[in-house]
Amino acid sequence: MTPASPGEHGTPPRVYIDHAATAPLRPEARDAFLDASAFPGNPTSRHGSGRRARGVLDDALDSLAASLDVPVSWLTLTSGGTEADNLAVRGAALAAQAADPSRRAVAVCATDHPAVLETARSLAPGIESREIPVDGDGLLDLEALREALAPGDVSVVSVALVNNETGVVQDLAAVAEIAHAAGALVHTDAVQATSHVELPVRTVDMLSLTGHKIGAPVGVGLLVVRPDIPFVAGLTGGGQQRGVRPGTLDAPQTASLAAALARTLADREAESARLGEMAQRLRAGIREIAPDAVLTAEAAPRSPHVVHVLLPGCDQDALLLMLDQQGIDASAGSACSAGVTRASHVLTAMGIEPDLARGALRLSLGWSSRVDDVDRVLAALPEAIERARAVGALVR
Amino acid sequence: MKVLAAMSGGVDSAVAAARAHEAGHDVVGVHMALSKNRAENRTGSRGCCTVEDAADARRAAERIGIPFYVWDLSDDFHDLVVSDFLAEYAAGRTPNPCVRCNEHIKFATLMERARALGFDAVCTGHYADVRAEGPDGAPSLHRARNLPKDQSYVLAVMGPEAVSRAVFPLGAFEDKEAVRAEARERRLGVSTKPDSYDICFIADGDTRGFLERSLGEAPGEVVDADGTVLGTHRGTFGFTVGQRKGLGLDRPAADGAPRYVLDVKPETRQVVVGAAELLSTTLLEASAPIPFEPLAPGREVSAQIRAHGEALPGIIERADDMLSVRLSSPVRGVAPGQTLVLYDGDRVIASATLERRAA
């Protein structure tokens, strides 16, 4: 059932160990999409095909609501995590300020995804973005959060549940307690957490999910939010989804998301245990190959699917090239759209020196990962690290 | 061989990579990102550094069927090319940043990395030929078959060791149109891009303005060969030996003949101008020679002092830590800082850096 991804240009099957970037499509998600897309119909049309599409959509929404244990009215479909984050941070902050002009700031975690950080920054000058620092293990400085909220002018606090680079898990219960005491709403980007961490759906006020990290296609996501929270919509259109997020409802994508989420949540405990063991094996193997390797955020709670290490002296472009040449799809943790690797803002915020950050390697596991993948990565790493060190030595 | 192909995003390097791949080499494509802020670089300039260039290179690699990576060499480029460009101008010399980039980025840096990663050779879209006609059959660098496009001059600074690990598939092409035709045939999608000769890191093409902004104004005198002050200037870096236009002098020479820059002296902030014949010399003196084979005084050679210049016949007078050549007829506009390349027929035998003309 696990698809062996075909090798590029006729090479052996590749090891896909970059689930944090995107996960392979789950068979049940693909089946759900194909079944639902076999017939036409706009879910808001009144004819037979429209009603059939609406039926598929309603079943999918019911399934999503059941998986998350929330009413259907809490679900706003989006194009993915970035849009859900935009809606939560911008939409809720603008609405809060409209209702109470003294709410003129948002607070975000310094290591959050650009979908949150850049959205918060884009609110200036009307709304100030306060970036809350993290400690050396990547954990949010709760004291700093308390101070940032002390003036009582913050409308939205946004903290990712699981960091997309390091896998560090934040304590959203503690964040929510502090934020709520200051009258602020709490948003969490949970796109990286869905497969492995219990979702604090009722602890926070807003929660972002995306399909493609859990085996649904790219292009569908979800903001889970109580309907009593006011929003300024990012889009204007035909009034779908209470006008908060207009646009034609996508029955096949939603069905696919529902199938992937149901499977992901049903498998969560078993998968976390399975992948956690594989991750341990990876870490132990890396330690053996490179005794000076630094396991990032070793003291912090981490999601079991991410192995993030810093390999002193290594050049990460070289490291990834060498692994790629061995058929291994890995990541440095972050890459800009132009394909040029820059110092990660996450590692910088954690106080990691640029020289060490240059040797960052992120291996992330998921539903299609097999023990054999780990063995192939460990077999390829010694030469990759040796050569990446040789390149690293050339660069000042 | 395992070959690392530098892919600028232009047609030449794309066809070169395709040819190397077709020749049976195990080819990996790399685009070198050279600018700190690539969005600011000149669109359509040399085809090195814009975001579009990286995308074109990626598409070409995909079409050829080879892996492709972008390497950020912007720090190296800034330190080794841009800073050097400014320092050389400030010292009254006329640097060629493209020669410098070839030497330090496209070859030294790329080859070092290629070797560290286990590659045997580097492939580029330069027009030159590597053969085995050096001493004892050692690899030798030759002019390309397409003489108007020949780039052996700018490659000569690589030195013989690097040449032995370089692959230049375009050396065999008759003309540029044949390269474009092959790109079209291979559907590399870059065949309509224009050539350009601008300096990629000077966004508006205004070199003097760039120098003024970077180095600051440093006013001084324009003098004749006797030291008589003829005018003023805003910085010696605006002048190159042999330059005629833009001298900013309001009165003509006594004999009415045009005046040329004879010398640039940043230490006294003076620009010396004079008649054309004062600019002529038959002696080329150059430092830091890079010989491709043993050289001895008395040998007949042809000398090239500009990227698009002609080869001048002459005889080696000195070949030790300095290289000097006596030309059979005088040449004008020998600019210190430019590269001297010596050929035996179409084979490169040495390169060196031209020094200030002997008085």
Side-chain angles (χ1 to χ4, degrees), chain A residues 155-181:
Chain A
S155 57
V156 177
V157 175
S158 182
V159 177
L161 182 52
V162 169
N163 184 270
N164 62 309
E165 287 187 30
T166 61
V168 167
V169 183
Q170 303 290 356
D171 183 353
L172 260 299
V175 170
E177 197 184 314
I178 295 166
H180 288 154

Side-chain angles (χ1 to χ4, degrees), chain A residues 4-9 11-14:
Chain A
S5 56
E8 186 185 28
H9 311 308
T11 47
R14 300 188 64 84

Side-chain angles (χ1 to χ4, degrees), chain B residues 56-359:
Chain B
D56 286 346
R58 188 183 65 232
R59 296 291 303 274
E62 187 56 38
R63 188 77 79 190
I64 296 164
I66 56 174
F68 174 78
Y69 308 93
V70 176
W71 285 355
D72 180 1
L73 298 182
S74 60
D75 286 337
D76 305 70
F77 183 72
H78 188 267
D79 293 352
L80 297 170
V81 180
V82 183
S83 299
D84 171 81
F85 178 79
L86 294 171
E88 284 286 283
Y89 263 110
R93 294 152 70 99
T94 307
N96 183 330
C98 301
V99 168
R100 180 95 184 162
C101 181
N102 272 323
E103 180 184 2
H104 290 277
I105 304 291
K106 292 192 179 158
F107 289 100
T109 301
L110 195 66
M111 275 191 171
E112 278 177 342
R113 290 193 179 202
R115 194 176 349 209
L117 289 168
F119 289 90
D120 304 302
V122 163
C123 164
T124 73
H126 285 101
Y127 287 79
D129 208 10
V130 177
R131 295 182 216 147
E133 296 174 14
D136 303 321
S140 49
L141 179 65
H142 299 257
R143 290 194 189 273
R145 197 168 160 205
N146 178 2
L147 278 181
K149 292 288 290 182
D150 171 52
Q151 289 172 300
S152 57
Y153 171 84
V154 295
L155 297 173
V157 292
M158 291 166 64
E161 208 273 330
V163 164
S164 71
R165 290 186 289 125
V167 177
F168 303 124
L170 299 194
F173 275 82
E174 193 84 50
D175 55 32
K176 177 83 180 200
E177 192 37 53
V179 177
R180 290 189 189 279
E182 181 158 331
R184 275 193 297 274
E185 200 177 304
R186 294 177 183 275
R187 297 170 58 228
L188 292 177
V190 291
S191 57
T192 53
K193 288 181 74 160
D195 281 355
S196 176
Y197 299 96
D198 299 311
I199 296 173
C200 66
F201 55 84
I202 300 179
D204 55 6
D206 175 10
T207 302
R208 200 188 281 209
F210 176 79
L211 292 168
E212 269 182 25
R213 284 193 301 279
S214 307
L215 299 173
E217 283 192 22
E221 297 167 340
V222 179
V223 300
D224 67 13
D226 302 326
T228 309
V229 177
L230 303 174
T232 58
H233 63 79
R234 290 191 292 175
T236 55
F237 44 75
F239 301 87
T240 293
V241 170
Q243 175 180 336
R244 179 182 163 185
K245 288 181 179 161
L247 300 186
L249 301 177
D250 44 16
R251 55 202 164 97
D255 58 2
R259 280 183 294 220
Y260 295 83
V261 175
L262 301 180
D263 200 0
V264 179
K265 297 177 165 173
E267 59 280 6
T268 56
R269 292 189 177 184
Q270 280 181 324
V271 175
V272 185
V273 301
E277 53 270 26
L278 294 174
L279 199 56
S280 295
T281 182
T282 57
L283 184 64
L284 301 176
E285 294 192 286
S287 60
I290 303 168
F292 280 66
E293 54 192 70
L295 302 175
R299 181 167 177 183
E300 287 185 23
V301 296
S302 55
Q304 188 173 332
I305 59 170
R306 286 182 207 98
H308 302 284
E310 53 186 334
L312 314 158
I315 291 173
I316 296 179
E317 284 200 344
R318 182 178 168 190
D320 38 48
D321 58 329
M322 291 287 288
L323 191 56
S324 63
V325 173
R326 180 69 67 181
L327 300 174
S328 50
S329 52
V331 65
R332 269 200 340 223
V334 177
Q338 295 282 72
T339 304
L340 167 69
V341 177
L342 301 186
Y343 292 83
D344 181 343
D346 73 349
R347 188 175 81 248
V348 170
I349 58 172
S351 78
T353 305
L354 286 163
E355 288 299 319
R356 191 166 289 179
R357 209 163 41 93

Side-chain angles (χ1 to χ4, degrees), chain A residues 8-9 315 317-322 324-325 336-342 383 386-388 390-391 394-396, chain B residues 28 30 33 35-36 38 51 54 62 65-67 69-72 74-76 79 112-113 115-119:
Chain A
E8 186 185 28
H9 311 308
D315 176 89
D317 288 338
L319 192 60
L320 296 180
L321 183 149
M322 290 303 301
D324 192 19
Q325 296 298 296
C336 92
S337 56
V340 175
T341 316
R342 294 285 186 192
E383 191 196 350
E386 186 191 330
R387 293 208 179 271
V391 172
L394 297 173
V395 187
R396 297 135 299 133
Chain B
V28 169
V30 163
S35 171
K36 288 247 179 251
R38 298 193 299 152
V51 177
E62 187 56 38
I66 56 174
Y69 308 93
V70 176
W71 285 355
D72 180 1
S74 60
D75 286 337
D76 305 70
D79 293 352
E112 278 177 342
R113 290 193 179 202
R115 194 176 349 209
L117 289 168
F119 289 90

